[in-house]
Amino acid sequence: MVGAGRDDSLLRQAFDLAADGIAILDVSGPLAKVVLANAALGAALGVPAAALAGDPLQSWLYPSAAAEAQRAIGEALAGVPRVRVELGLVCANGSRSWAQAQFRRLEHGAEGALALVTFTDITDRKALETAAGSLPLEMVG
């Protein structure tokens, strides 16, 4: 089929050009492992996207966010169409950022389970929330 190859190529191009970070995770085991990541996610974490393959998602999360990510994965696998959570990310250089992650089930069968996750950077918003939280109540109002 001539069109199928072109469709696959266009899909891969859209995946690679997306502004948000995107990962496909193998969630069939106790740790969610990256199968494929796009360039935006690699750039956000400070590594080449290809280097993320095989890494557990949990290795890039704040320790306090691992349970939240696991809960979101469980809900997505159970059939909840879109599960959104805010996750703290630890970059390769040790810096930290925040992302709103949206988990969706891709496949769940005898061969395993896959999930699609999009990561939207919300670091600036979280900084504003923190700053606003430290202001006297009279100033916030």
Side-chain angles (χ1 to χ4, degrees), residues 3-139:
R6 184 169 188 271
D7 290 347
D8 289 346
S9 175
L10 289 173
L11 184 60
R12 178 60 195 219
Q13 187 176 9
F15 179 80
D16 288 336
L17 292 176
D20 286 339
I22 302 172
I24 296 174
L25 303 176
D26 177 350
V27 293
S28 57
L31 293 177
K33 293 192 177 180
V34 177
V35 174
L36 186 63
N38 72 348
L41 183 57
L45 295 173
V47 296
L52 293 171
D55 278 359
L57 171 66
Q58 291 83 342
S59 66
W60 297 99
L61 298 178
Y62 288 13
S64 60
E68 186 70 9
Q70 200 61 42
R71 181 195 60 76
I73 290 167
E75 287 183 20
L77 290 179
V80 177
R82 292 184 189 122
V83 182
R84 290 187 178 144
V85 294
E86 293 181 358
L87 300 174
L89 303 174
V90 180
C91 302
N93 67 3
S95 65
R96 294 177 174 233
S97 63
W98 282 92
Q100 181 179 53
Q102 182 171 270
F103 291 79
R104 292 181 179 179
R105 180 176 72 179
L106 278 182
E107 182 179 302
H108 195 203
E111 302 82 38
L114 296 176
L116 174 71
V117 187
T118 57
F119 297 90
T120 303
D121 187 345
I122 58 168
T123 305
D124 292 340
R125 190 195 86 204
K126 293 295 270 188
L128 286 172
E129 288 174 358
T130 300
S134 66
L135 293 172
L137 187 55
E138 301 81 32
M139 291 185 74

